[in-house]
């Protein structure tokens, strides 16, 4: 066909940037465009007061796949940041995920046997209540959570947070959201079970810059404003935007949850002593506060600065013009996506990839993993 590029990559998020990097390494000619004013998609960081601020939400890279970890570290070095969020319920602090520290803070128990006895007691109460109601399988998130972890933890650490995050009462949410709650009978506040985790030293822009080094890019450029031109430029389009938009919303619109971030620069070196504090009561309107300087390592230069930056996260329903963050994978949306996917499967010149084009909540490591696999076998 002899077009100018082999691939026109629409979107410079982790999917687009990694695709372009791997394709270029195989000798392909790539061009990457993005409608935002900057590269990096949701990984983009802005430096404010010397702090790398995760502008589209806090991002922690975690994986158990050594190849994925080695790959991202070959692009830029990661630190050993370990996510250990704290929950604030009415001024009381609890460690997450649910572990011996949490059980001590909740009930004063000091041994795994005592914690287990308390959990069993509360689980049995939940099971008895369901039996009284004539139910055998949990019908919703509330019943599921009580069966898994008991009333106290559900009421203080799950109910308010979940209802704020999803904008619906727990009794109207599906049980599966909370089915795999980790419960640890050890004093371990590491949120993830993965072998490797961290944040790029110097922020995520270093990762994106490394991936796109030497590749032609154009920001502030929406594919749809000049679609024919861009389609004529390359043999294959790699599309990482919204799949329903690609097809002109012909079957209707997919839904998302979005987050509004309220940033404040504070005249103090350290506001909350941790990167992530979740506010688990219903009456506090935000779900969590992120203090971005804590993603860098303790003792690094940024810690000496007299200022800090926090962002409060407000979870809301998505409307046109907002950033689509979380796909809502309920029955209606999943079957709508399947209709679009059927159209996508017939395309010969278009690859649909990433969070928006596949309408799937991908973590970063999953994106890198699937692309390493794709390029290994090509
Ligand atoms: P995106 O980053 O959304 O990139 C898509 C890009 O395409 C955007 O830059 C967009 O502007 C561009 N685009 C769209 N349409 C067009 C168009 N028409 N023309 C031109 N450009 C277009 N993952 C983790 O592993 N750990 C975490 O801690 C974590 N935290 C998260 C927190 C939040 C709030 C969110 C929303 C996600 C989080 N994730 C996390 C998931 C992570 O963000 C995704 O895995 C990753 O960003 C997906 O990359 P992507 O390239 O598919 O999408
Ligand atoms: N969750 C909760 N309390 C918390 C943190 C999480 O009840 O303090 C629940 C909530 O239902 C949320 C789910 O656990 O939807 C997954 O939360 P996590 O922060 O792990 O995932 P993410 O928000 O990144 O999808």
């Amino acid at each position: 066909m002899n077009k100018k590029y082999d691939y026109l990559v629409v979107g410079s998020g982790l999917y687009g940037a990694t695709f372009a990097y791997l394709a270029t390494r195989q000798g392909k000619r790539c061009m990457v465009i993005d409608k935002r004013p900057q590269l990096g998609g949701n990984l983009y960081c802005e430096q404010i007061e010397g702090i790398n601020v995760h502008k589209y939400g806090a991002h922690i890279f975690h994986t158990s796949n050594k190849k994925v970890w080695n790959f991202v570290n070959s692009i830029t070095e990661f630190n050993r940041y370990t996510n250990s969020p704290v929950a604030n319920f009415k001024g009381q602090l609890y460690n997450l995920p649910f572990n011996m520290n949490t059980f001590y803070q909740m009930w004063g128990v000091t041994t795994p046997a005592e914690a287990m006895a308390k959990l069993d007691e509360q689980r049995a109460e939940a099971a008895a209540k369901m039996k009284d109601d004539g139910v055998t399988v949990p019908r919703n998130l509330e019943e599921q959570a009580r069966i898994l972890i008991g009333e106290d933890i559900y009421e203080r650490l799950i109910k308010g947070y979940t209802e704020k995050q999803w904008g619906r009462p727990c009794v109207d949410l599906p049980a599966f959201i909370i089915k795999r709650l980790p419960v640890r009978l050890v004093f371990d506040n590491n949120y993830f079970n993965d072998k490797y985790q961290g944040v790029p030293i110097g922020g995520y822009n270093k990762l994106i810059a490394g991936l796109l080094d030497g590749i032609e890019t154009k920001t502030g450029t929406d594919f749809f404003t000049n679609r024919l031109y861009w389609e004529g430029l390359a043999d294959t389009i790699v599309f990482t935007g919204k799949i329903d938009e690609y097809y002109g919303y012909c079957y209707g619109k997919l839904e998302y949850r979005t987050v509004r971030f309220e940033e404040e620069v504070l005249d103090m070196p350290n506001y909350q002593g941790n990167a992530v504090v979740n506010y688990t009561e219903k009456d506090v309107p935000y779900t969590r506060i992120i203090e971005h300087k804590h993603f860098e390592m303790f003792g690094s230069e940024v810690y000496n600065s007299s200022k800090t930056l926090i962002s409060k996260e407000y979870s809301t329903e998505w409307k046109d013009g907002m950033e689509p963050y979380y796909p809502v994978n309920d029955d209606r949306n999943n079957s709508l996506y399947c209709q679009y996917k059927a159209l996508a499967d017939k395309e010969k010149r278009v690859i649909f990839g990433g969070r928006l084009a596949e309408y799937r909540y991908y973590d970063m490591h999953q994106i890198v993993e699937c692309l390493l696999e794709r390029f290994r076998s090509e």
Side-chain angles (χ1 to χ4, degrees):
M1 275 190 261
N2 239 349
K3 300 226 162 119
K4 190 167 176 203
Y5 301 102
D6 296 296
Y7 294 113
L8 184 268
V9 182
V10 181
S12 64
L14 188 60
Y15 190 98
T18 307
F19 190 104
Y21 174 87
L22 293 169
T24 304
R25 295 246 303 197
Q26 290 192 348
K28 306 289 189 206
R29 300 154 304 159
C30 296
M31 162 90 186
V32 180
I33 61 169
D34 204 297
K35 65 179 178 184
R36 289 185 186 166
Q38 73 278 325
L39 301 169
N42 287 346
L43 272 55
Y44 172 68
C45 293
E46 186 182 328
Q47 261 216 0
I48 304 174
E49 301 290 347
I51 302 161
N52 292 303
V53 178
H54 298 203
K55 289 302 272 193
Y56 297 91
H59 277 74
I60 301 124
F61 199 99
H62 55 97
T63 180
S64 286
N65 184 327
K66 197 167 185 179
K67 284 195 183 125
V68 168
W69 185 242
N70 287 346
F71 173 77
V72 292
N73 275 276
S74 75
I75 306 292
T76 192
E77 195 185 345
F78 278 57
N79 67 22
R80 58 148 198 85
Y81 174 79
T82 304
N83 194 27
S84 42
V86 169
N88 181 321
F89 178 78
K90 301 193 173 175
Q92 292 290 314
L93 298 183
Y94 299 90
N95 287 110
L96 296 172
F98 309 130
N99 73 86
M100 281 303 295
N101 290 308
T102 330
F103 306 138
Y104 173 67
Q105 291 145 353
M106 185 75 55
W107 299 311
V109 293
T110 56
T111 65
E114 286 169 1
M116 203 58 200
K118 196 77 193 163
L119 283 167
D120 283 346
E121 178 192 312
Q122 299 221 340
R123 286 168 173 154
E125 281 167 18
K129 173 146 193 335
M130 274 178 57
K131 203 170 166 208
D132 287 348
D133 295 345
V135 184
T136 46
V137 180
R139 291 167 295 185
N140 53 51
L141 191 147
E142 178 165 294
E143 285 177 355
Q144 181 71 62
R146 283 186 172 140
I147 283 283
L148 281 172
I149 197 88
E151 178 71 10
D152 290 347
I153 290 184
Y154 170 67
E155 279 296 331
R156 286 187 225 174
L157 303 184
I158 296 176
K159 189 172 191 293
Y161 187 92
T162 302
E163 294 190 344
K164 284 191 285 187
Q165 173 153 352
W166 294 100
R168 292 157 181 78
C170 286
V171 286
D172 293 341
L173 284 167
F176 77 83
I177 295 186
I178 211 107
K179 236 175 195 157
R180 283 187 302 141
L181 272 185
V183 177
R184 291 194 194 140
L185 292 174
V186 285
F187 292 91
D188 179 1
N189 299 327
N190 181 352
Y191 200 63
F192 300 118
N193 291 323
D194 285 311
K195 263 195 203 160
Y196 314 103
Q197 69 178 297
V199 167
I201 296 170
Y204 281 93
N205 295 0
K206 295 221 164 183
L207 176 65
I208 297 296
L211 289 169
L212 292 176
D213 188 26
I215 295 171
E216 225 178 307
T217 60
K218 203 163 171 7
T219 52
T221 304
D222 191 328
F223 172 72
F224 295 113
T225 52
N226 209 346
R227 185 172 182 157
L228 286 178
Y229 168 75
W230 293 113
E231 282 174 344
L233 222 54
D235 294 339
T236 302
I237 307 294
V238 178
F239 186 77
T240 75
K242 287 162 57 203
I243 189 167
D244 53 350
E245 187 176 14
Y246 186 90
Y247 288 110
Y249 305 106
C250 62
Y251 297 129
K253 287 190 175 180
L254 290 164
E255 292 171 303
Y256 302 86
R257 291 288 294 166
T258 192
V259 186
R260 183 169 63 81
F261 302 100
E262 225 175 69
E263 279 174 16
E264 285 171 64
V265 175
L266 302 175
D267 249 331
M268 59 175 79
N270 188 354
Y271 173 70
Q272 61 186 16
N274 204 33
V276 185
V277 177
N278 293 356
Y279 284 79
T280 57
E281 62 189 281
K282 191 78 192 281
D283 294 342
V284 174
Y286 40 86
T287 49
R288 54 183 196 174
I289 298 183
I290 305 296
E291 187 171 10
H292 296 260
K293 68 161 46 168
H294 295 297
F295 288 121
E296 322 272 324
M297 289 320 294
F298 182 75
S300 69
E301 212 174 298
V302 73
Y303 269 88
N304 302 327
S305 124
S306 60
K307 295 202 170 160
T308 193
L309 190 146
I310 59 166
S311 40
K312 293 181 176 153
E313 296 190 357
Y314 297 81
S315 178
T316 54
E317 212 69 54
W318 176 83
K319 293 197 194 76
D320 271 338
M322 293 173 160
E323 288 294 344
Y325 280 125
Y326 298 100
V328 181
N329 290 111
D330 60 11
D331 293 345
R332 178 208 168 255
N333 286 293
N334 284 344
S335 64
L336 187 53
Y337 169 68
C338 282
Q339 288 180 275
Y340 286 117
K341 171 95 170 54
L343 295 180
D345 286 343
K346 291 192 200 119
E347 302 280 358
K348 299 257 183 311
R349 289 185 53 219
V350 192
I351 295 167
F352 291 85
R355 200 173 53 91
L356 301 171
E358 296 180 69
Y359 197 65
R360 201 177 136 194
Y361 187 86
Y362 275 125
D363 270 335
M364 293 181 280
H365 64 281
Q366 294 168 307
I367 290 202
V368 173
E369 194 164 19
C370 86
L371 284 171
L372 287 179
E373 192 52 35
R374 176 184 193 112
F375 279 86
R376 197 179 60 87
S377 52
E378 261 182 15

PDB file of all heavy atoms in Angstrom, residues 47 59 71 92 96 99 164 192 222 249 292 329 356:
ATOM      1  N   GLN A  47       4.523  18.638  37.145  1.00  0.00           N
ATOM      2  CA  GLN A  47       5.353  19.038  38.299  1.00  0.00           C
ATOM      3  C   GLN A  47       4.856  20.337  38.895  1.00  0.00           C
ATOM      4  O   GLN A  47       4.821  21.354  38.210  1.00  0.00           O
ATOM      5  CB  GLN A  47       6.797  19.194  37.856  1.00  0.00           C
ATOM      6  CG  GLN A  47       7.605  17.975  38.181  1.00  0.00           C
ATOM      7  CD  GLN A  47       9.040  18.281  38.586  1.00  0.00           C
ATOM      8  OE1 GLN A  47       9.475  19.425  38.634  1.00  0.00           O
ATOM      9  NE2 GLN A  47       9.775  17.233  38.896  1.00  0.00           N
ATOM     10  N   HIS A  59      -1.403   6.566  40.419  1.00  0.00           N
ATOM     11  CA  HIS A  59      -1.063   5.339  39.695  1.00  0.00           C
ATOM     12  C   HIS A  59       0.115   4.626  40.346  1.00  0.00           C
ATOM     13  O   HIS A  59       1.196   5.196  40.477  1.00  0.00           O
ATOM     14  CB  HIS A  59      -0.723   5.666  38.239  1.00  0.00           C
ATOM     15  CG  HIS A  59      -1.931   5.798  37.380  1.00  0.00           C
ATOM     16  ND1 HIS A  59      -2.771   6.885  37.440  1.00  0.00           N
ATOM     17  CD2 HIS A  59      -2.464   4.959  36.467  1.00  0.00           C
ATOM     18  CE1 HIS A  59      -3.766   6.711  36.589  1.00  0.00           C
ATOM     19  NE2 HIS A  59      -3.610   5.550  35.977  1.00  0.00           N
ATOM     20  N   PHE A  71      10.778  -5.030  31.737  1.00  0.00           N
ATOM     21  CA  PHE A  71      10.535  -4.174  30.570  1.00  0.00           C
ATOM     22  C   PHE A  71      10.379  -2.708  30.996  1.00  0.00           C
ATOM     23  O   PHE A  71      11.068  -1.832  30.487  1.00  0.00           O
ATOM     24  CB  PHE A  71       9.295  -4.634  29.796  1.00  0.00           C
ATOM     25  CG  PHE A  71       8.912  -3.690  28.689  1.00  0.00           C
ATOM     26  CD1 PHE A  71       9.623  -3.676  27.493  1.00  0.00           C
ATOM     27  CD2 PHE A  71       7.870  -2.786  28.856  1.00  0.00           C
ATOM     28  CE1 PHE A  71       9.294  -2.775  26.478  1.00  0.00           C
ATOM     29  CE2 PHE A  71       7.531  -1.887  27.849  1.00  0.00           C
ATOM     30  CZ  PHE A  71       8.239  -1.885  26.660  1.00  0.00           C
ATOM     31  N   GLN A  92     -11.073   7.973  63.261  1.00  0.00           N
ATOM     32  CA  GLN A  92     -10.281   6.798  63.670  1.00  0.00           C
ATOM     33  C   GLN A  92      -9.538   6.266  62.447  1.00  0.00           C
ATOM     34  O   GLN A  92     -10.134   6.170  61.376  1.00  0.00           O
ATOM     35  CB  GLN A  92     -11.207   5.681  64.174  1.00  0.00           C
ATOM     36  CG  GLN A  92     -11.926   5.993  65.476  1.00  0.00           C
ATOM     37  CD  GLN A  92     -10.972   6.025  66.661  1.00  0.00           C
ATOM     38  OE1 GLN A  92     -10.143   5.136  66.812  1.00  0.00           O
ATOM     39  NE2 GLN A  92     -11.067   7.064  67.468  1.00  0.00           N
ATOM     40  N   LEU A  96      -5.156  -0.690  55.862  1.00  0.00           N
ATOM     41  CA  LEU A  96      -5.701  -1.529  54.789  1.00  0.00           C
ATOM     42  C   LEU A  96      -4.535  -2.253  54.149  1.00  0.00           C
ATOM     43  O   LEU A  96      -3.411  -1.781  54.253  1.00  0.00           O
ATOM     44  CB  LEU A  96      -6.408  -0.656  53.738  1.00  0.00           C
ATOM     45  CG  LEU A  96      -7.642   0.124  54.215  1.00  0.00           C
ATOM     46  CD1 LEU A  96      -8.097   1.086  53.115  1.00  0.00           C
ATOM     47  CD2 LEU A  96      -8.785  -0.830  54.565  1.00  0.00           C
ATOM     48  N   ASN A  99      -6.007  -6.604  57.669  1.00  0.00           N
ATOM     49  CA  ASN A  99      -4.940  -7.473  58.185  1.00  0.00           C
ATOM     50  C   ASN A  99      -4.873  -7.344  59.700  1.00  0.00           C
ATOM     51  O   ASN A  99      -5.712  -6.666  60.309  1.00  0.00           O
ATOM     52  CB  ASN A  99      -3.613  -7.144  57.480  1.00  0.00           C
ATOM     53  CG  ASN A  99      -3.006  -5.827  57.935  1.00  0.00           C
ATOM     54  OD1 ASN A  99      -2.290  -5.770  58.926  1.00  0.00           O
ATOM     55  ND2 ASN A  99      -3.312  -4.739  57.233  1.00  0.00           N
ATOM     56  N   LYS A 164     -20.105   5.774  47.909  1.00  0.00           N
ATOM     57  CA  LYS A 164     -19.625   7.016  47.296  1.00  0.00           C
ATOM     58  C   LYS A 164     -18.970   6.708  45.946  1.00  0.00           C
ATOM     59  O   LYS A 164     -19.183   7.396  44.965  1.00  0.00           O
ATOM     60  CB  LYS A 164     -18.591   7.687  48.200  1.00  0.00           C
ATOM     61  CG  LYS A 164     -19.208   8.387  49.387  1.00  0.00           C
ATOM     62  CD  LYS A 164     -18.207   9.247  50.117  1.00  0.00           C
ATOM     63  CE  LYS A 164     -17.243   8.455  50.958  1.00  0.00           C
ATOM     64  NZ  LYS A 164     -16.370   9.270  51.804  1.00  0.00           N
ATOM     65  N   PHE A 192      -1.076  -4.671  47.753  1.00  0.00           N
ATOM     66  CA  PHE A 192      -1.060  -5.618  46.626  1.00  0.00           C
ATOM     67  C   PHE A 192      -0.342  -6.913  47.003  1.00  0.00           C
ATOM     68  O   PHE A 192       0.589  -6.904  47.790  1.00  0.00           O
ATOM     69  CB  PHE A 192      -0.369  -4.988  45.411  1.00  0.00           C
ATOM     70  CG  PHE A 192      -1.058  -3.732  44.925  1.00  0.00           C
ATOM     71  CD1 PHE A 192      -0.400  -2.508  44.936  1.00  0.00           C
ATOM     72  CD2 PHE A 192      -2.366  -3.775  44.457  1.00  0.00           C
ATOM     73  CE1 PHE A 192      -1.039  -1.349  44.495  1.00  0.00           C
ATOM     74  CE2 PHE A 192      -3.011  -2.625  44.019  1.00  0.00           C
ATOM     75  CZ  PHE A 192      -2.342  -1.415  44.037  1.00  0.00           C
ATOM     76  N   ASP A 222      -7.379  15.667  17.597  1.00  0.00           N
ATOM     77  CA  ASP A 222      -8.447  14.674  17.711  1.00  0.00           C
ATOM     78  C   ASP A 222      -8.597  13.934  16.381  1.00  0.00           C
ATOM     79  O   ASP A 222      -8.816  14.567  15.343  1.00  0.00           O
ATOM     80  CB  ASP A 222      -9.761  15.371  18.097  1.00  0.00           C
ATOM     81  CG  ASP A 222     -10.842  14.377  18.504  1.00  0.00           C
ATOM     82  OD1 ASP A 222     -10.852  13.251  17.950  1.00  0.00           O
ATOM     83  OD2 ASP A 222     -11.657  14.718  19.373  1.00  0.00           O
ATOM     84  N   TYR A 249     -21.467   6.110  17.857  1.00  0.00           N
ATOM     85  CA  TYR A 249     -22.492   5.766  18.862  1.00  0.00           C
ATOM     86  C   TYR A 249     -23.706   5.107  18.208  1.00  0.00           C
ATOM     87  O   TYR A 249     -24.844   5.309  18.635  1.00  0.00           O
ATOM     88  CB  TYR A 249     -22.938   7.021  19.644  1.00  0.00           C
ATOM     89  CG  TYR A 249     -21.801   7.773  20.291  1.00  0.00           C
ATOM     90  CD1 TYR A 249     -21.351   8.997  19.760  1.00  0.00           C
ATOM     91  CD2 TYR A 249     -21.173   7.277  21.418  1.00  0.00           C
ATOM     92  CE1 TYR A 249     -20.296   9.683  20.355  1.00  0.00           C
ATOM     93  CE2 TYR A 249     -20.120   7.959  22.021  1.00  0.00           C
ATOM     94  CZ  TYR A 249     -19.685   9.160  21.483  1.00  0.00           C
ATOM     95  OH  TYR A 249     -18.642   9.837  22.070  1.00  0.00           O
ATOM     96  N   HIS A 292       0.678  13.672  47.004  1.00  0.00           N
ATOM     97  CA  HIS A 292       1.518  13.129  45.924  1.00  0.00           C
ATOM     98  C   HIS A 292       2.997  12.986  46.273  1.00  0.00           C
ATOM     99  O   HIS A 292       3.670  12.127  45.719  1.00  0.00           O
ATOM    100  CB  HIS A 292       1.344  13.987  44.667  1.00  0.00           C
ATOM    101  CG  HIS A 292      -0.061  13.944  44.129  1.00  0.00           C
ATOM    102  ND1 HIS A 292      -0.425  13.160  43.062  1.00  0.00           N
ATOM    103  CD2 HIS A 292      -1.192  14.539  44.544  1.00  0.00           C
ATOM    104  CE1 HIS A 292      -1.725  13.313  42.832  1.00  0.00           C
ATOM    105  NE2 HIS A 292      -2.220  14.141  43.717  1.00  0.00           N
ATOM    106  N   ASN A 329     -19.099  -2.124  33.975  1.00  0.00           N
ATOM    107  CA  ASN A 329     -19.319  -3.421  33.305  1.00  0.00           C
ATOM    108  C   ASN A 329     -20.548  -4.144  33.838  1.00  0.00           C
ATOM    109  O   ASN A 329     -20.481  -5.294  34.262  1.00  0.00           O
ATOM    110  CB  ASN A 329     -18.062  -4.297  33.407  1.00  0.00           C
ATOM    111  CG  ASN A 329     -16.928  -3.751  32.548  1.00  0.00           C
ATOM    112  OD1 ASN A 329     -15.926  -3.264  33.046  1.00  0.00           O
ATOM    113  ND2 ASN A 329     -17.103  -3.802  31.245  1.00  0.00           N
ATOM    114  N   LEU A 356     -10.270   2.098  26.906  1.00  0.00           N
ATOM    115  CA  LEU A 356     -11.483   2.672  26.311  1.00  0.00           C
ATOM    116  C   LEU A 356     -11.940   1.888  25.086  1.00  0.00           C
ATOM    117  O   LEU A 356     -13.130   1.729  24.857  1.00  0.00           O
ATOM    118  CB  LEU A 356     -11.229   4.132  25.913  1.00  0.00           C
ATOM    119  CG  LEU A 356     -10.820   5.063  27.050  1.00  0.00           C
ATOM    120  CD1 LEU A 356     -10.388   6.421  26.514  1.00  0.00           C
ATOM    121  CD2 LEU A 356     -11.971   5.233  28.026  1.00  0.00           C
TER     122      LEU A 356
END
